[in-house]
Amino acid sequence: MAESSSSSSSPVVKSDAETEELLDRMLTRLALCDDSKLETLLSKLLPLTLSSLSTNSTAVRNKVLEILSHVNKRVKYQHEIGLPFQELWKLYTAANATAIVKNFCVMYIEMAFERLNIKEKENMAPVLIANISKLPLQHQEIILRIVAKVIGECHASQIDDEVAVKYRSVNGSQDRELFAEFCLHLMLYKQSSQGGGCSPGLSIAQSNRVAGKNPLKNEELLMRKLGVLNVVDAMELSPEPVYPLYLVASADSQEAVIKKGEELLRKKAASANLDDSNLMKQLFSLFNGTTSTENVAPESKVNPASVSLKIKLMSVFCRSITAANSFPATLQCIFGCIYGSGTTSRLKQLGMEFTVWVFKHAKNDQLKLMGPVILTGVLKLLDSYSSSDSDTIARDTKTFSFQAIGLLAQRLPHLFRDKIDMAVRLFDALKTEAESLRFVIQEATISLAAAYKGAPATVLMDLEALLLNNFQAEQNEVRLCAVRWATSLFDLKHCPSRFICMLGVADSRLDIRY
């Protein structure tokens, strides 16, 4: 009896022939159904038809495709005919759903969602991104685009508390991370110009992931960006994951996005740990894009960030110890500022400011790798300026360049010790550069002196001649440095240096005499 009861309660599994016959009757019923009754019929027919794809029978699958083809023709241009979204989503997320069922199902989910009323869309969008990290990549893209569209339509100005709670309930770390990454790519996306190309900070694949088949227009894009900022704010994520998003928003081309990004950056992300290694890795990746040393497919090559975003990023790097110790990204960033394609005088200035920061805070093992290469770049940059360049940015760039040389001389003295080229360069700079720069050059020259302690005898002899020659200079700063070098490099028994000191006692400048 127990066996009979168990047998009668189990679901009846239809054979492929029976399923085919059922589908054939459904197709006939579908063909005879008026448009006014089609929505009701599809609420039961569509899920059942799609679930039949789990069979391996070619005949059944062909019958399913025949039904779906008929459905597509009937509903494609009649958006008032609803599709059973809830049933389709339940079928898609079922644990036993096969890959082919999911592939077909997601297409009709997209179609069904488009036909929901605005309130239903608003409430269902958070549900779609729960567990999204477990979906196939292609399906993730479709679902994220659906959600982004709803966010733009519903939340560009604000988000209701009830809906905000639903977004906060998305608590899977991978789901949140994936959603935040998509939002970042959306924020980087810019409307394509007629010349085409990919937005700065994105790859072709990432741009396609954001926009799908049809590029986003200005107004639509603006609404989505504002909506995303409101939703991410409502999700109350920790500062580090949202910091890049808000920073990118603050460098956008749309004033409304810039204002909102700056506000959120100040209020919600100011406490971000700028020494978080994952955060710095993400920001450097934004700045540098895909480097020439990385072997990736053309459609996956990420463009470097826009100039406006690079300027924002540099202000962050100059406050992060981790950024100073992120070789080779640190080196790529500095050279990108100084010699990168499309660089500006402002970026060159910030690149040199970052160089000073790196020379101060980089660990010795990192500095040994970067120092010699960066020094070559600094000297080349200085050679590109003339002593008559007097605008503020050029002056600041030179200031940071000379500061960098002074710092590197203290950290890696061996780079300078074996020849007097740098000493000659700095003493000459004290004579030729504008008066406003002389103090910083003086400080760099004094710092450089320590690098020559213990230098080879031939180098010290060349330095003697250099100091004797420069002590006769008209510029006070040159004479002061000559005295400081003489007293720090040579002992009391060294006659040429004592001679320089004797002349210094009679100098007209008090700071030189004492």
Side-chain angles (χ1 to χ4, degrees), residues 153-165:
E153 292 172 353
C154 301
H155 309 308
S157 57
Q158 63 178 14
I159 179 171
D160 295 340
D161 291 341
E162 184 182 340
V163 179
V165 170

Side-chain angles (χ1 to χ4, degrees), residues 38-329:
L38 188 58
E39 182 174 332
T40 304
L41 176 60
L42 289 176
S43 65
K44 297 177 181 178
L45 181 146
L46 193 56
L48 181 59
T49 302
L50 290 170
S51 65
S52 299
L53 284 168
S54 58
T55 182
N56 291 322
S57 168
T58 303
V60 171
R61 288 187 175 182
N62 287 339
K63 187 60 68 175
V64 168
L65 294 178
E66 195 176 347
I67 292 174
L68 295 180
S69 176
H70 185 96
V71 170
N72 291 345
K73 290 174 183 177
R74 295 282 297 274
V75 305
K76 185 174 183 180
Y77 298 109
Q78 298 192 70
H79 294 281
E80 69 279 3
I81 298 176
L83 298 178
F85 173 80
Q86 295 284 4
E87 290 77 5
L88 291 171
W89 183 248
K90 184 178 179 181
L91 177 62
Y92 179 82
T93 54
N96 61 345
T98 61
I100 189 170
V101 170
K102 283 179 175 285
N103 288 337
F104 275 84
C105 211
V106 76
M107 293 190 296
Y108 288 94
I109 285 171
E110 187 175 15
M111 196 183 301
F113 198 91
E114 192 65 36
R115 294 155 194 261
L116 297 176
N117 65 54
I118 196 69
K119 194 64 182 175
E120 288 175 316
K121 289 180 180 179
E122 192 178 14
N123 286 318
M124 285 307 303
V127 176
L128 295 183
I129 58 174
N131 298 316
I132 194 167
S133 60
K134 297 175 183 176
L135 305 184
L137 180 61
Q138 191 175 7
H139 295 184
Q140 288 177 9
E141 295 176 0
I142 294 170
I143 299 299
L144 286 167
R145 284 196 294 269
I146 291 172
V147 173
K149 186 174 181 181
V150 175
I151 287 174
E153 292 172 353
C154 301
H155 309 308
S157 57
Q158 63 178 14
I159 179 171
D160 295 340
D161 291 341
E162 184 182 340
V163 179
V165 170
K166 293 183 178 182
Y167 277 104
R168 278 197 291 275
S169 68
V170 180
N171 50 22
S173 60
Q174 288 183 314
D175 298 330
R176 288 182 164 215
E177 183 180 323
L178 186 65
F179 180 64
E181 180 188 53
F182 181 82
C183 292
L184 175 63
H185 293 164
L186 173 64
M187 202 60 61
L188 287 163
Y189 185 92
K190 298 189 186 319
Q191 185 178 9
S192 299
S193 61
Q194 290 185 349
C198 185
S199 302
L202 293 178
S203 67
I204 293 173
Q206 289 168 342
S207 289
N208 292 340
R209 183 175 171 86
V210 169
K213 296 177 182 178
N214 302 311
L216 299 175
K217 303 298 182 183
N218 266 341
E219 187 62 26
E220 182 183 19
L221 183 59
L222 172 62
M223 293 299 102
R224 290 192 189 187
K225 287 184 177 184
L226 291 173
V228 155
L229 290 174
N230 285 327
V231 168
V232 173
D233 179 24
M235 290 178 74
E236 298 179 352
L237 303 176
S238 57
E240 287 77 21
V242 298
Y243 191 89
L245 175 67
Y246 296 159
L247 189 70
V248 170
S250 72
D252 197 76
S253 57
Q254 296 275 8
E255 186 61 35
V257 178
I258 294 172
K259 185 177 178 181
K260 187 69 177 178
E262 288 176 343
E263 177 190 344
L264 291 172
L265 195 61
R266 185 173 63 254
K267 292 182 178 179
K268 297 298 181 73
S271 61
N273 178 15
L274 298 185
D275 286 317
D276 181 89
S277 58
N278 289 328
L279 175 58
M280 281 303 114
K281 183 178 180 181
Q282 189 176 13
L283 295 183
F284 272 123
S285 179
L286 266 179
F287 188 100
N288 294 322
T290 301
T291 61
S292 57
T293 58
E294 297 178 72
N295 186 22
V296 298
E299 65 274 10
S300 298
K301 287 186 177 180
V302 178
N303 290 332
S306 64
V307 170
S308 59
L309 179 54
K310 282 184 175 182
I311 289 171
K312 294 275 186 180
L313 287 166
M314 291 308 297
S315 68
V316 177
F317 295 150
C318 288
R319 291 180 284 142
S320 169
I321 303 295
T322 299
N325 290 279
S326 298
F327 180 86

Side-chain angles (χ1 to χ4, degrees), residues 334-366:
I334 291 172
F335 271 77
C337 284
I338 300 175
Y339 302 115
S341 174
T343 191
T344 63
S345 55
R346 174 68 174 142
L347 274 177
K348 289 180 181 180
Q349 175 198 357
L350 290 169
M352 289 316 308
E353 183 178 357
F354 185 44
T355 299
V356 170
W357 177 264
V358 170
F359 285 176
K360 277 184 181 178
H361 298 288
K363 296 176 182 177
N364 285 336
D365 58 336
Q366 295 259 319

Side-chain angles (χ1 to χ4, degrees), residues 349 390-397:
Q349 175 198 357
S390 58
D391 66 273
T392 303
I393 292 180
R395 185 171 64 248
D396 288 347
T397 303

